[in-house]
Amino acid sequence: MKKIMLFLIICFSFFNTIQAQTAPTSNLYKGTVDGKTPITVYIKTEENPCTADLMYTSMYRYNKSKNWIQLNITQNRKAENEFVLVEHGFSGVLILKKIENTFSGLWISPDTKKQLKVELKEVSMTKKELTDFEKTMEKVNYENNDC
C-alpha cells in the first residue's frame, strides 16, 4: 500500500510539473525596414526548463528574398519589452521595443553607418503556415549550426 501511495504521489508531482511549464508560442510579424522594404519575422517563445526564463528562436527575411536569416534574441531583463536581435554571422542587429502586438526600432549595420527604421505588426497564421515556419526554422538552424 505504501508503494502504491508513493507511486501516486510521484506521478501527481510529475504531472503538476509538466502542467506548470508554459507551452511554446509562435508569432508572425510583418512590416517594413526603412518604410519601404517589406519583411517577415517569425519568433518562437518557450520557457527555459532550467531557469524558467523565456527563450526565443527566430528568423526573418526580406520578402523579395527566399533566404531566411536566423536571429539570436536577447531580452532586456529590466525592461521586458526591449529586445536585441542579432543576425547569424553578425550581418546586422535589430533593436526593437514591443508595444502590445507591434515592434518598432532600428536595424543597424555592423559598422553602424546604416541605421534604418523597423516597424512590425503581428499577423495571424494558419496551422499549415505554423508547421511550414517550424520546418523552415529547423532547416535554417541546421544549415547554420551543423558541424
Side-chain angles (χ1 to χ4, degrees):
M1 183 66 166
K2 287 182 183 180
K3 288 181 181 181
I4 292 173
M5 288 299 283
L6 180 61
F7 176 74
L8 290 174
I9 290 170
I10 290 170
C11 288
F12 182 73
S13 296
F14 180 73
F15 180 73
N16 281 342
T17 301
I18 289 174
Q19 274 190 324
Q21 293 178 351
T22 305
T25 58
S26 298
N27 301 88
L28 185 65
Y29 297 89
K30 294 194 178 240
T32 60
V33 173
D34 202 23
K36 54 189 170 198
T37 305
I39 64 170
T40 300
V41 180
Y42 176 76
I43 301 173
K44 182 177 181 179
T45 307
E46 45 194 334
E47 192 176 277
N48 183 322
C50 298
T51 64
D53 291 337
L54 294 178
M55 306 185 315
Y56 303 94
T57 49
S58 182
M59 62 183 182
Y60 86 113
R61 72 178 176 95
Y62 294 91
N63 290 1
K64 291 183 180 180
S65 172
K66 292 183 180 183
N67 298 324
W68 287 90
I69 301 168
Q70 189 172 15
L71 298 167
N72 180 18
I73 300 179
T74 302
Q75 182 178 15
N76 184 343
R77 290 183 185 257
K78 294 178 183 175
E80 291 183 3
N81 62 338
E82 296 175 348
F83 299 84
V84 173
L85 299 82
V86 180
E87 295 176 2
H88 181 79
F90 191 59
S91 53
V93 174
L94 294 134
I95 299 175
L96 302 176
K97 185 172 188 172
K98 185 174 184 183
I99 299 174
E100 295 179 9
N101 67 340
T102 64
F103 280 103
S104 62
L106 294 173
W107 176 87
I108 304 171
S109 65
D111 64 4
T112 69
K113 291 183 181 177
K114 276 191 183 177
Q115 297 189 11
L116 307 173
K117 186 177 179 180
V118 176
E119 295 289 335
L120 300 169
K121 185 171 184 174
E122 186 175 2
V123 296
S124 59
M125 288 182 284
T126 64
K127 287 184 180 182
K128 183 184 181 329
E129 287 174 317
L130 175 62
T131 301
D132 291 345
F133 282 120
E134 282 296 309
K135 286 179 183 176
T136 301
M137 191 158 57
E138 187 175 319
K139 180 181 177 221
V140 168
N141 185 49
Y142 178 80
E143 290 169 354
N144 289 334
N145 298 300
D146 186 42
C147 297

